[in-house]
Amino acid sequence: PLVLALEELHGAQLSIEALQYVARRLGPTPTLIVGTYRQTEVEVRTINEMVVSAGVGVPDMVKIDAEGFDLKALAGASDFIGKTDIFFLEAAVCASGIENTMAAVIAKMAELGYRMIDITDLNRSPKHGVLWLCELAFMREGCPLLDQIASYE
């Protein structure tokens, strides 16, 4: 058996890649891997605050990818709901324990006056092949761009 101790993995993309390499090389060797990870505190700001501090006015498009907290991040964009034409949000399909399911995201955006117009990214589970997450595009009802989409052709 082999014991592998790794410290301070929190900022070490290179260490993770090295660990993957070692794991492949070890093959079936019985191995115990122990690692330390330190959380880092970051400032949390709403989308409203970020846009105001940047001084850019109402954005035409907002993309949110908040690792399962997209609906919470959307709540922090309240100043732009009904003004911003396009929103992109990530939604869970088969992933469990995530608040922003596809159904919840579509329902919330419809409640806010937005229509889903596209699925722009699909993330499948590498192990099971099922659709895990997807990114959805929404357009504001009454947006001139949406009016141009009148037929299938």
Side-chain angles (χ1 to χ4, degrees), residues 127-145:
K127 182 175 182 179
H128 304 289
V130 297
L131 185 56
W132 201 251
L133 299 168
C134 64
E135 182 180 75
L136 306 175
F138 295 89
M139 193 170 286
R140 180 179 55 82
E141 294 286 350
C143 172
L145 294 171

Side-chain angles (χ1 to χ4, degrees), residues 10-31:
H10 49 274
Q13 178 61 32
L14 186 59
S15 295
I16 299 301
E17 291 167 3
L19 179 59
Q20 292 170 337
Y21 172 79
V22 169
R24 283 192 303 272
R25 293 293 305 236
L26 290 172
T29 304
T31 307

Side-chain angles (χ1 to χ4, degrees), residues 7-54:
E7 293 186 26
E8 299 186 17
L9 292 171
H10 49 274
Q13 178 61 32
L14 186 59
S15 295
I16 299 301
E17 291 167 3
L19 179 59
Q20 292 170 337
Y21 172 79
V22 169
R24 283 192 303 272
R25 293 293 305 236
L26 290 172
T29 304
T31 307
L32 171 64
I33 300 172
V34 179
T36 63
Y37 182 89
R38 177 175 33 101
Q39 289 185 333
T40 303
E41 289 188 27
V42 295
E43 178 185 4
V44 177
R45 297 173 60 197
T46 66
I47 295 169
N48 292 338
E49 292 168 339
M50 288 186 283
V51 171
V52 167
S53 69

Side-chain angles (χ1 to χ4, degrees), residues 2-139:
L2 172 68
V3 175
L4 185 57
L6 304 170
E7 293 186 26
E8 299 186 17
L9 292 171
H10 49 274
Q13 178 61 32
L14 186 59
S15 295
I16 299 301
E17 291 167 3
L19 179 59
Q20 292 170 337
Y21 172 79
V22 169
R24 283 192 303 272
R25 293 293 305 236
L26 290 172
T29 304
T31 307
L32 171 64
I33 300 172
V34 179
T36 63
Y37 182 89
R38 177 175 33 101
Q39 289 185 333
T40 303
E41 289 188 27
V42 295
E43 178 185 4
V44 177
R45 297 173 60 197
T46 66
I47 295 169
N48 292 338
E49 292 168 339
M50 288 186 283
V51 171
V52 167
S53 69
V56 295
V58 176
D60 295 322
M61 179 173 52
V62 172
K63 180 182 183 336
I64 299 174
D65 186 346
E67 303 303 321
F69 297 99
D70 296 51
L71 290 174
K72 287 185 177 58
L74 180 66
S78 58
D79 293 350
F80 309 109
I81 301 297
K83 299 173 187 168
T84 294
D85 287 335
I86 301 169
F87 277 91
F88 293 90
L89 286 91
E90 193 173 69
V93 178
C94 195
S96 59
I98 295 177
E99 191 175 307
N100 59 303
T101 64
M102 186 178 225
V105 169
I106 292 171
K108 183 62 176 179
M109 292 306 288
E111 175 188 318
L112 296 172
Y114 288 81
R115 184 189 311 173
M116 190 180 96
I117 59 164
D118 203 353
I119 300 173
T120 58
D121 190 25
L122 302 173
N123 295 299
R124 295 192 177 278
S125 161
K127 182 175 182 179
H128 304 289
V130 297
L131 185 56
W132 201 251
L133 299 168
C134 64
E135 182 180 75
L136 306 175
F138 295 89
M139 193 170 286

